[in-house]
Amino acid sequence: MGRMTSRAPTVGFDLDMTLIDSRPGIRAAFRALSAETGTYIDADLAVTRLGPPLEQELRHWFPEEAIPEVADRYREIYPTYAIEPTLAMPGAREAVAAVHAHGGHAIVVTAKHEPNAKLHLAHLGIEADAVIGSLWAEAKAVALREHEASVYVGDHTGDVRGARTAGALSVAVATGPCDAAELRAAGADVVLAELTEFGAWLDAYAARERG
C-alpha cells in the first residue's frame, strides 16, 4: 500500500486543520450567517468539529429543507469573512515544499467548496499543484486515484478512510478534531503530532522506498 514508485511521487493533503487553521475565518463566517438568517449558530462549537461537509454542520441549526439555500449563501459570503483571518498551520508551506524537493506533486483534496479552498491557498502562498474540492472521506479516493497519489495527509478519521480507500499511505496529523489515538484506531499508517514533522518523515520514507 502507498508505495512510492521510481517516478515523481504525488502526495495529497487535506486543507482545514491540516494545511490551514481556518477556525477564525469559519467562526466569523458562521456568525455572519447567523446574523443574516436570524438563526442561532454556536460558531465556537462548530469550529471544534471541522472536516465533514458544510451541510452536515448546518443540519445542527437549520431544517433540512433550508440546507441547500443556506449552504449556497454561506459559500457566497465565505470569502468576505473567512479568508483574511485564516492562518497557515505550522509547517504547512514547508510540507508542500518538501514534496516538491523530492520532485513530486502536492495536491489538495478537501471537502471545502473548491473556489474557496483555492482562495485560502493563494492568500497564504501555499503552492499546490492541483486543488480538488467537495470530496469527503471515502469519496476523496476518487481524486487521489485520479492523481495517482501514494500518500494522503489529513487530520480527521475521514481522511484516513479516504487514503485507505484509495490504496494510499495514510499519514495523519493530530492537529484537528481527532486525537492521535482516534487516528490510529481508524487505521492511520503514520501519526504525526503536527505537520512540522512531515519533512523529516518524508525524507526517511523516500529513502526506504528507494531501497
Side-chain angles (χ1 to χ4, degrees), residues 142-155:
V142 174
L144 295 173
R145 286 191 186 117
E146 181 181 341
H147 289 267
E148 299 183 315
S150 54
V151 177
Y152 185 59
V153 186
D155 65 280

Side-chain angles (χ1 to χ4, degrees), residues 33 36-37 58 64-76:
L33 184 69
E36 183 176 304
T37 60
L58 292 176
E64 186 64 34
E65 63 271 16
I67 298 300
E69 182 180 354
V70 174
D72 285 347
R73 182 57 182 156
Y74 174 91
R75 292 179 176 118
E76 185 178 347

Side-chain angles (χ1 to χ4, degrees), residues 1-5 7-12 144 147-152 163 166-171 201 205:
M1 176 186 289
R3 289 186 61 82
M4 282 190 179
T5 62
R7 64 178 182 77
T10 295
V11 177
L144 295 173
H147 289 267
E148 299 183 315
S150 54
V151 177
Y152 185 59
L169 195 79
S170 171
V171 176
W201 174 82
Y205 177 67

